[in-house]
Amino acid sequence: MLFEPSFWQFNLDSGAVFRDKIVLIGGTTELAQDIHSTPVDVRMPGVEVQANAVATLLEGDGIRWLPRDLAVSLILGLGVGMGGLLFTQKQVGGKLGLTILAGPLILGGSYIAFLQTWMVPATALLSTVLVTGLIDTTALGIREQLDRLRLRRILAKRVSAAVLDEILNQPETFAQSLGGKVSQAAILFSDIRGFTTLSSQIDAQALVALLNRYFACMVTPILEQQGIIDKFIGDAIMAEFGVPLMRDEHSEALAAVHAALGMRRALSDLRTQLQAEGQPLIFHGIGINIGEVVAGNLGSPEKLEYTVIGDAVNVASRIEGLTKELQFDIIISQSVYELVQEEIQAICLGTYPIRGKREPATLYGVVDTRSGDGKLCQQVREEFSAYQMLIETTVSKS
């Protein structure tokens, strides 16, 4: 009908009405079988789809891809920014939350850009976030493993395997204590009696070898009771029970006493060996106290050492210093005794002044566990008394 001469001539002015125009011809009925589903209409004729496309091209407001340089800058900027944000998060939960949150934000921004006729490389942006998150998480895992290895190297020879595993399972707790943490702890000091005399009896190499044998015997009972070897000070040993992880005061005090009793047995066995080898005998004194300490890394930036300080530490050291005077190899403070008195046999040694303290302290000599026979305690005291007399006689003759 459109091209019939009469209609063309009279209705369309012989085609003049179409001059300088784009004309699309097509069917709009369902009979034409040219009906399409579109985002704006589920039943749009094909010719209308074509008309919209032509109109979009003519008006220049069609969907456009971002310029290549801008898209690359956007991807790189997102990667750097996301990496920076992830770096500020120290917990895995925070990192995961940021990564998940970035997805909806990218999709929402891409949709808004689409409404403004811009096509954003959403897939590339999402991939950037996922890759950045994966790299950061991997780096975090590597750092944590390195930290665990470093911590294991630091503590492996200072704590028992059980305590080390517990520390590694709670790295945050231990990390907090490195900066200084107030805690209750049982402190054990031990020192070789008459070390000056001993060192004058043998040469330097033999002395070092003998000390290493002694330390090896002493460390085992401490670690078995989940104590931590703080340091070796010449011929002395300092150990703690309750840091960096504490069970309860009773358990830590009892662990320290059991460790001391184990040290007594180990040294008795070592003396038997030394006597058979014709080497000088070793006796020691042990002092134990419990109280509040400050635990943390102390030292300079070049050398830090995890240790404890406080009045309780000083008192334990002073008690150990009284073992020679009181002729008892294991002496505990009253605070320790009150915690463990039901599990041990002990003798009240009386009240003695403690250097640096205004009030004298009541001290107890540990004989044995509650079920023990106490024979080793008596044997050690007799052996030391005889050894001391021998040394004094030798010195007086010389």
Side-chain angles (χ1 to χ4, degrees):
M1 176 180 178
L2 181 64
F3 296 104
E4 289 183 2
S6 58
F7 188 82
W8 179 266
Q9 181 178 1
F10 295 106
N11 293 78
L12 302 178
D13 194 14
S14 299
V17 69
F18 296 132
R19 187 174 292 115
D20 299 325
K21 294 180 175 64
I22 297 175
V23 179
L24 302 178
I25 300 174
T28 58
T29 66
E30 292 189 5
L31 294 176
Q33 296 184 350
D34 191 24
I35 302 299
H36 302 274
S37 177
T38 69
V40 296
D41 191 345
V42 295
R43 306 185 65 78
M44 180 175 285
V47 66
E48 189 174 345
V49 174
Q50 297 295 327
N52 278 285
V54 171
T56 297
L57 292 173
L58 291 175
E59 295 174 5
D61 62 353
I63 300 298
R64 296 160 291 173
W65 282 100
L66 284 179
R68 182 183 181 86
D69 292 344
L70 180 59
V72 172
S73 299
L74 183 62
I75 293 172
L76 291 177
L78 178 64
V80 173
M82 191 67 187
L85 287 174
L86 290 174
F87 183 77
T88 62
Q89 299 296 316
K90 303 304 180 184
Q91 302 297 325
V92 175
K95 294 178 182 292
L96 182 61
L98 274 177
T99 304
I100 294 175
L101 180 62
L105 291 177
I106 290 174
L107 293 176
S110 299
Y111 179 71
I112 293 174
F114 176 78
L115 295 179
Q116 302 301 317
T117 72
W118 288 104
M119 184 71 77
V120 176
T123 302
L125 294 176
L126 288 172
S127 299
T128 299
V129 170
L130 291 176
V131 170
T132 303
L134 179 62
I135 292 174
D136 185 79
T137 302
T138 302
L140 176 64
I142 293 174
R143 286 197 303 271
E144 287 182 348
Q145 288 302 316
L146 290 176
D147 288 342
R148 287 171 69 90
L149 288 174
R150 179 175 61 86
L151 193 58
R152 183 177 289 276
R153 285 197 300 270
I154 293 172
L155 298 177
K157 294 184 179 181
R158 300 179 64 187
V159 301
S160 66
V163 172
L164 179 58
D165 289 339
E166 193 170 351
I167 291 173
L168 293 176
N169 290 330
Q170 303 179 49
E172 295 84 3
T173 301
F174 182 72
Q176 291 172 1
S177 70
L178 293 180
K181 178 183 177 182
V182 177
S183 176
Q184 292 288 321
I187 314 300
L188 180 151
F189 274 93
S190 77
D191 192 23
I192 295 178
R193 292 174 176 174
F195 180 72
T196 302
T197 303
L198 174 66
S199 61
S200 65
Q201 295 176 338
I202 54 179
D203 61 41
Q205 291 184 342
L207 179 62
V208 170
L210 182 59
L211 279 177
N212 285 334
R213 287 181 67 181
Y214 166 72
F215 286 141
C217 293
M218 297 302 99
V219 164
T220 301
I222 295 173
L223 298 185
E224 286 178 348
Q225 295 299 324
Q226 299 188 16
I228 178 172
I229 305 298
D230 189 300
K231 60 176 68 72
F232 298 106
I233 314 166
D235 61 305
I237 301 173
M238 176 181 172
E240 296 98 47
F241 299 80
V243 291
L245 302 173
M246 186 173 189
R247 292 163 286 190
D248 56 75
E249 288 189 353
H250 171 265
S251 297
E252 302 303 348
L254 188 59
V257 173
H258 281 165
L261 291 171
M263 294 166 71
R264 173 192 280 168
R265 289 190 294 271
L267 184 54
S268 178
D269 293 339
L270 178 60
R271 269 197 304 275
T272 301
Q273 298 173 24
L274 294 176
Q275 190 170 27
E277 298 169 6
Q279 295 197 52
L281 303 183
I282 295 178
F283 294 86
H284 67 189
I286 299 175
I288 302 174
N289 184 39
I290 190 168
E292 188 175 274
V293 299
V294 177
N297 267 344
L298 295 179
S300 67
E302 291 76 19
K303 180 175 176 57
L304 289 172
E305 185 177 67
Y306 184 78
T307 187
V308 297
I309 57 175
D311 184 63
V313 178
N314 298 331
V315 171
S317 177
R318 303 288 186 264
I319 292 174
E320 183 277 320
L322 291 171
T323 55
K324 182 177 181 180
E325 175 187 338
L326 301 180
Q327 297 292 295
F328 222 101
D329 63 331
I330 303 175
I331 299 179
I332 60 177
S333 65
Q334 184 168 356
S335 56
V336 174
Y337 175 75
E338 290 174 352
L339 289 168
V340 302
Q341 58 182 317
E342 299 299 328
E343 287 90 354
I344 67 169
Q345 302 174 47
I347 299 172
C348 181
L349 301 176
T351 302
Y352 295 87
I354 300 293
R355 185 156 54 92
K357 303 290 290 182
R358 292 183 177 179
E359 299 295 329
T362 301
L363 303 178
Y364 296 82
V366 178
V367 176
D368 208 335
T369 60
R370 178 62 67 180
S371 58
D373 56 21
K375 291 182 179 179
L376 182 57
C377 175
Q378 184 61 32
Q379 176 186 327
V380 169
R381 297 184 70 183
E382 291 174 355
E383 288 179 354
F384 178 68
S385 179
Y387 180 74
Q388 195 172 32
M389 289 179 61
L390 176 63
I391 293 297
E392 292 174 353
T393 301
T394 304
V395 171
S396 63
K397 288 182 178 180
S398 62

